[in-house]
């Protein structure tokens, strides 16, 4: 029989079914972050919202998740990981039903907030339980299964949302969670064991500062484009609150006797480095997922369903990479896999900077496949490196921080690329338009009024071409920026420290509560 340290920390009657229940809950939650994106125009008409206010359907969910994630570790210690997981899935399913029957925007925002709170704990708890269910020699493979859920969900969301909206109704984007959620609840209740509870004081001041700082940051990022960024007093107030509250939280964490997050966890070089890399993954992956649907539909004219099918190539790449990276992590230096994954992602983004308006669908699929392979290769070894030097008691707290880093990265990445896209479209339009001088046109513009409506149509067509080219240049500029962010991460991967295997019987490192 294997040594005690090599046994699974949690004993369950059927590990395979428990894994399916955990991962189904995880995929359901992650899928919901993007499944509603394609349904927003339909919701807008049905709920009587404007184009600006309908964005609160997404913002409320993101805000609630960001605020709730940091207390996952404390709640899991106080009421138990199993109870918290069951409670979270139940709240998520109930909120999904309420979102599906919402009659106005106020109800929808309120129910999406509740859904965000329920879903916030699912990711960290799923990651912790996947580690606890498997002995150390199998944890890389467990993280590859977990990673598939994390990465496939956002990619499949627009596809599933497109089909449900097209063939049924936008409300089914929420109702689809009900049967899946009920099956998950049954599996979690029957299969997961209880873990010992811990009495642990709650850092109310630290949590308040972190929650207010994250909420202000998320509001600033989500509202920035609508409010014209720092031309707006609202954005200045939100930025000031975010900076001041997060700074106070950082100082409090260093000086408080019992802070919200353990100080020793942030003294672990691997964990801090992995959190930064998770931030980059969130920034690049989710920024790309935000840009590509509008590019494919707006400039290339693909319908919603076909757009989703083209983007599915990323999911195929992720699945392939996840399937092999779990095995490779135990056979070679994980840092090489992280660097190789970022190199593949950089290569795919560099290829995307060569796109043109007259290309077919093949470059979209090719680059998507390569990018999926890169992201899949990074994710598993990064989890192994992050948790390799942390004790099991710190897993839930660590998983919460990693999930939070990925979420903040995605919010900042999306906000930056969207702001640059809008700005660069205007700049590129002005640059292109100045070259449309009368001597470069096939006909003298002074003669166009003689043709009446045909002349006006010709001018509109010329302006349309300029707009289209300007938008394409702006998208390519965003891809350049994302490629640069990925390229910087390649050499930085070797700042990670390869965890040394513990000798038999050697206790794991202890992190003080």
């Amino acid at each position: 029989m294997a040594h005690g340290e090599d046994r699974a920390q949690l004993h369950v009657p059927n590990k395979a079914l428990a894994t399916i229940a955990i991962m189904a809950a995880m995929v359901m939650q992650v899928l919901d972050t993007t499944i509603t994106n394609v349904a927003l125009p339909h919701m807008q008409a049905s709920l009587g919202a404007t184009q600006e206010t309908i964005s609160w359907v997404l913002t409320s969910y993101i805000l609630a998740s960001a605020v709730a994630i940091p207390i996952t570790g404390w709640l899991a210690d106080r009421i138990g990981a199993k109870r918290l997981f069951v409670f979270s899935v139940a709240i998520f399913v109930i909120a999904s039903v309420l979102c599906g029957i919402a009659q106005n925007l106020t109800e929808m925002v309120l129910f999406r907030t509740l859904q965000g709170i329920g879903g916030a704990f699912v990711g960290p708890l799923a990651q912790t339980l996947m580690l606890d269910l498997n002995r150390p020699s199998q944890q890389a493979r467990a993280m590859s299964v977990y990673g598939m859920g994390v990465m496939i969900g956002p990619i499949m969301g627009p596809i599933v949302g497109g089909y449900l909206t097209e063939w049924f109704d936008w409300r089914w984007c929420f109702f689809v969670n009900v049967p899946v959620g009920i099956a998950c609840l049954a599996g979690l209740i029957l299969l997961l064991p209880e873990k010992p509870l811990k009495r642990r004081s709650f850092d109310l001041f630290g949590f308040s500062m972190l929650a207010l700082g994250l909420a202000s940051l998320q509001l600033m990022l989500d509202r920035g484009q609508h409010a014209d960024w720092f031309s707006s007093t609202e954005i200045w107030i939100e930025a000031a609150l975010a900076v001041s509250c997060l700074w106070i939280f950082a100082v409090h964490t260093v000086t408080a006797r019992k802070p919200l997050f353990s100080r020793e966890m942030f003294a672990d070089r691997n964990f801090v480095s992995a959190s930064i890399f998770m931030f980059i993954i969130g920034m690049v992956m989710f920024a790309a997922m935000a840009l590509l649907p509008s590019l494919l539909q707006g400039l290339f004219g693909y319908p919603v369903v076909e757009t989703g099918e083209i983007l599915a190539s990323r999911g195929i790449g992720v699945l392939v990479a996840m399937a092999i990276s779990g095995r490779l992590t135990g056979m070679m230096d994980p840092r090489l896999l992280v660097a190789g994954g970022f190199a593949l992602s950089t290569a795919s983004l560099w290829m995307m900077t060569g796109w043109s308006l007259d290309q077919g669908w093949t470059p979209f699929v090719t680059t998507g496949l390569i990018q999926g392979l890169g992201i899949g290769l990074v994710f598993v070894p990064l989890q192994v490196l992050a948790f390799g030097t942390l004790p099991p008691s710190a897993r839930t707290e660590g998983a919460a921080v990693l999930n939070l880093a990925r979420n903040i990265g995605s919010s900042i990445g999306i906000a930056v690329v969207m702001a640059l896209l809008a700005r660069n479209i205007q700049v590129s339009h002005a640059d292109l338009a100045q070259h449309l001088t009368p001597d470069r046109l096939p006909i003298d513009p002074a003669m166009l009024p003689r043709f009446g409506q045909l002349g006006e149509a010709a001018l509109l067509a010329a302006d349309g071409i300029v707009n289209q080219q300007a938008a394409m240049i702006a998208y390519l500029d965003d891809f350049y920026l994302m490629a640069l962010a990925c390229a910087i991460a390649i050499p930085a991967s070797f700042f990670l420290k390869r965890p040394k295997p513990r000798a038999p019987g050697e206790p794991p490192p202890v992190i003080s509560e």
Side-chain angles (χ1 to χ4, degrees):
M1 188 166 63
H3 192 274
E5 176 60 22
D6 197 42
R7 290 196 300 266
Q9 284 90 2
L10 284 181
H11 298 280
V12 293
N14 190 313
K15 192 170 82 169
L17 287 178
T19 299
I20 291 171
I22 291 168
M23 289 312 303
M26 178 68 205
V27 172
M28 177 182 69
Q29 183 268 332
V30 175
L31 194 73
D32 230 64
T33 59
T34 56
I35 194 173
T36 54
N37 289 17
V38 295
L40 283 182
H42 300 268
M43 289 187 199
Q44 182 180 332
S46 180
L47 300 174
T50 64
Q51 188 170 0
E52 182 174 345
T53 57
I54 196 63
S55 65
W56 280 98
V57 174
L58 303 178
T59 303
S60 56
Y61 183 92
I62 295 170
L63 273 176
S65 295
V67 170
I69 281 179
I71 60 171
T72 307
W74 180 81
L75 281 174
D77 285 344
R78 288 301 299 263
I79 68 175
K82 176 181 177 178
R83 287 194 188 96
L84 181 58
F85 206 168
V86 170
F87 173 78
S88 300
V89 174
I91 290 294
F92 190 87
V93 172
I94 292 169
S96 296
V97 174
L98 294 173
C99 287
I101 61 175
Q103 298 301 308
N104 54 60
L105 184 64
T106 304
E107 291 180 2
M108 176 60 79
V109 170
L110 180 64
F111 299 147
R112 280 285 281 178
T113 302
L114 183 64
Q115 193 183 37
I117 293 171
F121 308 121
V122 172
L125 289 172
Q127 187 170 14
T128 304
L129 288 168
M130 289 294 289
L131 289 168
D132 288 348
L133 286 175
N134 293 273
R135 55 181 181 262
S137 59
Q138 295 180 333
Q139 285 178 353
R141 204 171 296 178
M143 284 299 93
S144 69
V145 174
Y146 171 81
M148 288 180 191
V150 171
M151 298 301 178
I152 296 299
I155 294 168
M156 295 301 295
I159 304 173
V160 177
Y163 276 113
L164 290 173
T165 305
E166 190 84 14
W167 292 346
F168 298 100
D169 186 75
W170 65 264
R171 297 181 185 275
W172 278 96
C173 292
F174 299 105
F175 291 146
V176 73
N177 294 330
V178 177
V180 178
I182 291 173
C184 289
L185 283 172
L188 297 173
I189 292 169
L190 295 174
L191 298 171
L192 287 186
E194 297 283 359
K195 292 177 70 175
L197 304 183
K198 292 182 184 177
R199 286 217 166 268
R200 181 176 163 191
S201 59
F202 183 60
D203 181 14
L204 179 61
F205 178 76
F207 172 69
S208 300
M209 289 297 99
L210 181 60
L212 185 56
L214 290 175
S216 301
L217 177 64
Q218 292 285 356
L219 272 176
M220 182 189 80
L221 295 172
D222 290 335
R223 293 276 304 151
Q225 192 65 26
H226 297 292
D228 196 20
W229 291 103
F230 291 99
S231 300
S232 165
T233 305
E234 175 197 341
I235 299 301
W236 275 108
I237 293 171
E238 289 161 358
L241 274 174
V243 171
S244 56
C245 290
L246 292 177
W247 172 254
I248 292 170
F249 171 75
V251 173
H252 176 76
T253 300
V254 173
T255 57
R257 191 167 64 89
K258 291 184 177 179
L260 183 65
F261 294 134
S262 169
R263 280 189 290 270
E264 285 81 357
M265 188 170 66
F266 292 104
D268 188 307
R269 189 175 85 186
N270 267 16
F271 180 78
V272 173
S273 300
S275 300
I276 295 170
F277 285 127
M278 287 301 292
F279 176 89
I280 295 172
I281 288 174
M283 185 171 64
V284 173
M285 179 186 176
F286 286 92
M289 291 304 299
L291 286 174
L292 290 174
S294 61
L295 172 70
L296 292 171
Q297 293 175 51
L299 292 185
F300 289 85
Y302 289 104
V304 172
V305 174
E306 281 188 37
T307 298
E309 291 170 349
I310 290 172
L311 295 179
S313 60
R314 270 171 179 70
I316 296 170
V318 169
L319 284 173
V320 172
M322 292 286 186
I324 63 173
S325 59
R327 295 178 182 274
L328 291 176
T329 300
M331 297 166 57
M332 59 187 294
D333 189 341
R335 296 173 300 176
L336 292 175
L337 289 176
V338 173
F342 276 118
L344 281 175
S345 296
T346 303
S348 69
L349 288 163
W350 184 258
M351 291 167 65
M352 289 163 69
T353 62
W355 284 355
S356 64
L357 286 168
D358 58 355
Q359 69 185 28
W361 57 268
T362 307
F364 301 125
V365 174
T366 304
T367 53
L369 187 64
I370 295 171
Q371 196 170 112
L373 287 170
I375 292 169
L377 279 179
V378 169
F379 194 84
V380 176
L382 198 58
Q383 303 297 313
V384 172
L385 289 166
F387 290 99
T389 49
L390 288 182
S393 60
R395 283 175 181 165
T396 306
E397 201 169 89
V401 173
L402 288 177
N403 277 267
L404 185 61
R406 191 181 69 243
N407 289 353
I408 293 174
S410 66
S411 296
I412 292 177
I414 291 170
V416 169
V417 297
M418 288 302 183
L420 288 176
L421 182 70
R423 177 183 175 276
N424 288 340
I425 286 175
Q426 295 177 349
V427 172
S428 299
H429 186 280
D431 290 342
L432 293 172
Q434 70 179 353
H435 296 291
L436 286 178
T437 55
D439 59 309
R440 295 189 177 185
L441 294 175
I443 187 172
D444 186 354
M447 297 177 62
L448 288 177
R450 299 181 184 180
F451 298 96
Q453 292 183 343
L454 289 176
E456 292 178 10
L459 287 175
L460 288 174
D463 185 59
I465 293 171
V466 172
N467 287 334
Q468 198 177 35
Q469 294 291 339
M472 190 66 199
I473 292 170
Y475 278 108
L476 298 184
D477 288 342
D478 275 352
F479 297 148
Y480 273 115
L481 179 65
M482 293 157 65
L484 179 62
C486 264
I488 292 171
I490 297 172
S493 304
F494 295 96
F495 283 100
L496 291 163
K497 215 164 74 171
R498 187 175 186 176
K500 296 178 181 177
R502 290 193 291 270
E506 181 186 348
V510 177
I511 288 185
S512 61
E513 298 297 337

